[in-house]
Amino acid sequence: MVNPTIITSLPLVIVIQLLLSALLHQSGATTLEPSTGDAAGAATGIGWALLEVLGRSSRPSCSLLVLTDPTSSPSDIIKELIEADWPLGMVLLQVVLREANFTSQALALTRLIRYARQIRLLYPCVSLVVLSDDPAFWSTFGELSQSGRLLVWETRVVGVTSMPLAAVRAVAAAYWAYTMMNTLILVRTTRPNYPTRWSVLSHLPFTSHGNHLVQLASIWAPQGLYLLPGRTLFPPKFSNCNSAHSTTHSQVTKFITSKRASHHLCISSPAGSFHRALVNVTALPYKPYWDEEGGGSGLSATKRYSGADRLMLEAMALALNFTIYVLPVETWDQVVTLVEQRVSFVASVVHMILQNRLERFGFTCTYEHSINLAFGMAKPSLMPRWQSLYYPLTDEVWAAILLLVLIMPPVFYLVRGGVGGLRAGAAVLMVFGALMGQPLPRRMSPSSRWRAVLGAWLWFTLIVSVAYRGNLMAFLALPKYPARPEDLVQLVRVVDRITMPSYGSEFLSFLKQSESPSFRAWGDLMTVGVAVVDGLKSSLTKKQAHVDGRRYLELVIAEHFTLADGTTRLYVGREGILPGLNAWPIPHDAPYREAFDRVINAVIEAGLYNKWMGDILTQTRHEAQRKLRQEVQSGATQEATPEGSGGSNQPLTLVHLQGPIFLLLVGLLIACLAFVVEAGLSRLWRRGH
């Protein structure tokens, strides 16, 4: 059960809070009743200490949200907090239990955090105060505030407790809400004959002395709040802005372009928010973004990394002063799962931003727009070479020529009709002879109409024959491929299967729920969990395609499927099939996102990322061609060059000329058959006479 008390001073906020209060009461909440007695006097110290901290650190536009456990008496501090006159008012929430057990408290706190997040989203700025002396409550709150996404870095949290310092240290070090978020802890200590003293603590994850709880200030009467030398309230945990020795963009550029490679990538200055600490990252090979060579993992010296995203991560490590530690993973699901669990700070390989991914984790700023998904598949098979005589002209042109060949003999016969006119057989021979470039008969009619018709036919046959011979040479020397799919609509019509790596499972729900028929057809044809090389190899023998990032496909095809003459039997579709924004996955509401984004934007704006990407692609292609040349020289080529694949000064072979040879053989066969028939008919005629 959630018990709200809502106090505000602005009419608009009053309406919002009253609506929220009604919502809470519908779920069985009750109103807090102020307590009286000695407890009020004890609580007065809490309110005074809170005002000392919040008065110095809270922004004027912030509202106040107070959250307490079932054993606290929050109403005792209402009077003191109200007197502070919060411009956007104050919201007080308390968990009230009907059954005193851990499960009941967890369920009630889950509902309370859900409502508290709604309040945070309503206001431009919220300061959160959490009161409890129960370690179990602090542990539960730390876990549920993380899963419920209650806190962001802009939310300043002040925890108030009287637990022993050892218990505070253990709880603060165990949960993201206390170690990484913008959280202070007020610990009350009392000694006989001494006034109550408050210690203002904060857990700093990265310091020169490691990950530990540090004291920022003390509060006691009558002095009030006293900041320790060099300390500030709500210190920036992930920013180098206060460092006099912070790394500049020019230093980052100079470091990366010098191509120095090391696992220890930190600058020599001790200043910096991460203080050379190990930062966990996850990644898998995905060229040209990330590549691995050698064995081992993490800081092992036997594993070397490269790629454009790896170089950007090195620039980030230099600028923010941390050391990269690559966690061992085997699948893409593990890469993002460790980020979702906040074990990994970032998955430092580009990922497309999808709605189902946003429900699991967040992203850095977008920086790569060329990773739109594309498909790779085998080039269509060459058309039969024996038909090469037919390819130079289209079907429509052949049909028009055939029609004219049938029409022109009667026209010739009619124009030369009368005494001494052409015979029908001679007209046919003249039409075909002119088309084949044969000379005309010596005796020509002086008739003007005859010369006009004959001249028109000769002009037509000249143009057609020249055009045909020119195209015929090109089609004999160069291969003719049929039309091939270039976009998703064409692809789903011709293939029986579309393969993707393991991360393709994240696209299935989106594709099958899409309103696009092409996307739904893609989802029905998809097979997930196929490596890129295996998928492309299968496409050479089956009617299927492999889907992946465009640059990655181009790199893999150049590296593994380039033939000795530099050509390949695979291609990448011209149109992207799923364009989108791309970034690095990070945990939800990660407080260091701003620091990461600052470095990413600096790298992109300097043009370094595109420079790295171009260098990697060029180097990979050159390396693949170098290996192929060595194989050719040693006579150990992996695969013979296909016929008609191109090349300079390529001589014509029997394969190229099989069309005319086949036509000659057919003509000889027909001549032989005609000779046999004529000989037989001649013998029969002689016998008859």
Side-chain angles (χ1 to χ4, degrees):
M1 178 181 294
V2 180
N3 192 1
T5 299
I6 303 172
I7 300 130
T8 183
S9 58
L10 295 182
L12 178 60
V13 181
I14 291 175
V15 175
I16 296 175
Q17 292 176 334
L18 288 177
L19 290 176
L20 180 60
S21 178
L23 178 63
L24 297 177
H25 280 286
Q26 287 177 3
S27 61
T30 60
T31 304
L32 282 176
E33 295 295 337
S35 61
T36 58
D38 297 337
T44 303
I46 298 177
W48 172 73
L50 281 173
L51 291 177
E52 285 291 317
V53 174
L54 297 176
R56 291 203 184 187
S57 60
S58 292
R59 287 157 286 184
S61 60
C62 289
S63 60
L64 183 63
L65 174 62
V66 181
L67 185 155
T68 69
D69 67 358
T71 61
S72 301
S73 299
S75 57
D76 297 332
I77 63 172
I78 290 178
K79 182 178 179 180
E80 295 183 55
L81 294 179
I82 289 177
E83 292 175 354
D85 191 18
W86 299 95
L88 292 183
M90 182 178 70
V91 178
L92 182 60
L93 300 175
Q94 181 182 32
V95 176
V96 178
L97 302 179
R98 294 178 178 175
E99 298 180 6
N101 55 63
F102 178 79
T103 303
S104 177
Q105 176 172 294
L107 292 175
L109 188 56
T110 300
R111 295 174 60 192
L112 184 146
I113 289 176
R114 186 185 308 119
Y115 295 133
R117 185 170 187 269
Q118 295 177 9
I119 296 172
R120 178 178 67 79
L121 296 175
L122 287 175
Y123 292 97
C125 171
V126 172
S127 295
L128 173 64
V129 175
V130 183
L131 288 82
S132 178
D133 293 332
D134 183 8
F137 178 86
W138 285 104
S139 299
T140 306
F141 174 80
E143 181 177 351
L144 296 180
S145 62
Q146 173 181 311
S147 59
R149 299 188 60 184
L150 172 61
L151 306 179
V152 294
W153 180 255
E154 291 75 14
T155 304
R156 294 183 171 182
V157 184
V158 180
V160 182
T161 184
S162 298
M163 295 189 304
L165 187 59
V168 173
R169 184 178 290 108
V171 171
Y175 297 97
W176 178 277
Y178 312 129
T179 58
M180 308 294 287
M181 303 308 291
N182 202 9
T183 303
L184 297 182
I185 302 177
L186 270 65
V187 180
R188 180 172 59 183
T189 56
T190 57
R191 296 173 59 186
N193 302 324
Y194 284 91
T196 300
R197 189 183 186 96
W198 298 85
S199 298
V200 183
L201 310 176
S202 178
H203 195 283
L204 301 182
F206 305 107
T207 68
S208 57
H209 299 90
N211 179 0
H212 68 294
L213 192 70
V214 299
Q215 183 172 354
L216 305 178
S218 296
I219 305 175
W220 71 89
Q223 180 174 347
L225 188 143
Y226 170 75
L227 278 174
L228 297 180
R231 300 296 187 182
T232 60
L233 296 177
F234 298 103
K237 298 181 180 181
F238 308 97
S239 174
N240 279 342
C241 298
N242 294 331
S243 171
H245 305 283
S246 59
T247 307
T248 63
H249 293 170
S250 61
Q251 290 175 302
V252 175
T253 304
K254 182 178 180 181
F255 175 82
I256 297 300
T257 53
S258 66
K259 298 187 182 298
R260 290 191 291 166
S262 173
H263 288 290
H264 194 278
L265 303 171
C266 301
I267 56 178
S268 58
S269 172
S273 58
F274 286 86
H275 293 275
R276 299 184 179 180
L278 294 180
V279 171
N280 296 336
V281 302
T282 48
L284 280 177
Y286 189 64
K287 298 179 181 179
Y289 302 94
W290 186 281
D291 192 19
E292 299 178 359
E293 296 179 2
S297 61
L299 297 178
S300 174
T302 61
K303 176 164 284 192
R304 293 173 298 174
Y305 303 99
S306 60
D309 281 22
R310 171 66 186 194
L311 289 173
M312 187 157 64
L313 183 63
E314 292 180 2
M316 188 176 295
L318 172 70
L320 299 180
N321 195 15
F322 64 79
T323 302
I324 302 169
Y325 182 82
V326 182
L327 296 172
V329 291
E330 297 180 357
T331 65
W332 285 106
D333 185 62
Q334 290 180 347
V335 169
V336 295
T337 298
L338 292 179
V339 172
E340 184 181 5
Q341 297 172 351
R342 290 175 166 79
V343 177
S344 171
F345 273 54
V346 61
S348 53
V349 181
V350 66
H351 280 64
M352 183 175 291
I353 300 176
L354 300 174
Q355 182 60 39
N356 56 329
R357 288 178 173 176
L358 289 172
E359 295 173 357
R360 299 178 55 192
F361 45 80
F363 285 90
T364 62
C365 62
T366 58
Y367 67 93
E368 169 66 316
H369 303 279
S370 300
I371 195 182
N372 50 356
L373 291 182
F375 64 89
M377 61 184 301
K379 295 177 181 177
S381 301
L382 292 174
M383 300 293 288
R385 287 304 180 88
W386 63 270
Q387 297 180 7
S388 58
L389 296 178
Y390 173 80
Y391 294 146
L393 303 178
T394 62
D395 297 340
E396 294 80 3
V397 175
W398 282 117
I401 293 174
L402 178 60
L403 180 62
L404 291 174
V405 167
L406 296 176
I407 292 176
M408 291 309 297
V411 172
F412 278 14
Y413 180 77
L414 294 174
V415 171
R416 285 289 304 272
V419 181
L422 281 177
R423 292 177 297 178
V428 173
L429 291 177
M430 185 174 292
V431 170
F432 276 95
L435 193 61
M436 299 297 176
Q438 297 298 313
L440 296 175
R442 294 183 179 181
R443 296 180 61 183
M444 300 293 294
S445 171
S447 171
S448 298
R449 60 182 181 180
W450 164 248
R451 292 179 181 274
V453 172
L454 182 61
W457 178 248
L458 291 177
W459 183 255
F460 170 77
T461 56
L462 174 65
I463 295 176
V464 170
S465 60
V466 171
Y468 176 77
R469 285 195 297 268
N471 276 3
L472 178 62
M473 295 303 298
F475 277 88
L476 288 176
L478 300 175
K480 175 178 172 58
Y481 290 95
R484 62 190 190 185
E486 296 290 357
D487 55 30
L488 181 61
V489 176
Q490 299 171 358
L491 177 68
V492 296
R493 292 175 181 173
V494 301
V495 299
D496 300 329
R497 184 184 181 213
I498 299 176
T499 58
M500 280 194 73
S502 58
Y503 70 81
S505 58
E506 300 179 358
F507 292 82
L508 274 176
S509 59
F510 163 74
L511 295 175
K512 292 185 177 181
Q513 296 174 5
S514 173
E515 297 180 358
S516 169
S518 300
F519 281 171
R520 291 197 301 269
W522 175 11
D524 295 336
L525 295 173
M526 184 186 294
T527 300
V528 178
V530 181
V532 59
V533 176
D534 296 336
L536 292 175
K537 283 183 177 179
S538 298
S539 68
L540 293 173
T541 57
K542 301 176 182 178
K543 293 178 61 177
Q544 68 178 53
H546 186 84
V547 172
D548 219 312
R550 177 176 296 277
R551 283 176 170 171
Y552 184 48
L553 285 175
E554 292 174 348
L555 196 72
V556 171
I557 290 174
E559 186 175 6
H560 296 280
F561 297 94
T562 301
L563 302 177
D565 62 348
T567 61
T568 176
R569 289 194 293 160
L570 297 170
Y571 79 101
V572 179
R574 182 171 58 250
E575 301 292 336
I577 60 177
L578 188 62
L581 300 176
N582 306 276
W584 282 353
I586 58 175
H588 274 310
D589 308 315
Y592 48 83
R593 175 185 172 177
E594 182 180 354
F596 279 22
D597 289 351
R598 187 170 63 252
V599 179
I600 291 174
N601 287 325
V603 170
I604 298 301
E605 292 171 2
L608 291 175
Y609 190 81
N610 289 334
K611 176 66 167 56
W612 298 333
M613 188 68 70
D615 291 345
I616 293 169
L617 291 173
T618 302
Q619 181 181 359
T620 302
R621 292 191 181 101
H622 290 171
E623 184 66 19
Q625 292 178 357
R626 183 187 64 81
K627 291 181 180 179
L628 286 171
R629 285 195 296 267
Q630 292 178 351
E631 292 175 356
V632 171
Q633 293 174 0
S634 62
T637 53
Q638 296 180 356
E639 187 175 357
T641 302
E643 296 290 346
S645 59
S648 60
N649 301 326
Q650 182 182 14
L652 298 180
T653 64
L654 289 176
V655 176
H656 296 91
L657 298 177
Q658 59 182 262
I661 293 174
F662 178 75
L663 185 60
L664 176 61
L665 294 178
V666 171
L668 293 175
L669 179 61
I670 294 174
C672 292
L673 292 176
F675 174 77
V676 171
V677 171
E678 289 178 357
L681 293 176
S682 177
R683 182 176 298 179
L684 291 175
W685 184 79
R686 289 175 182 177
R687 288 180 180 180
H689 289 76

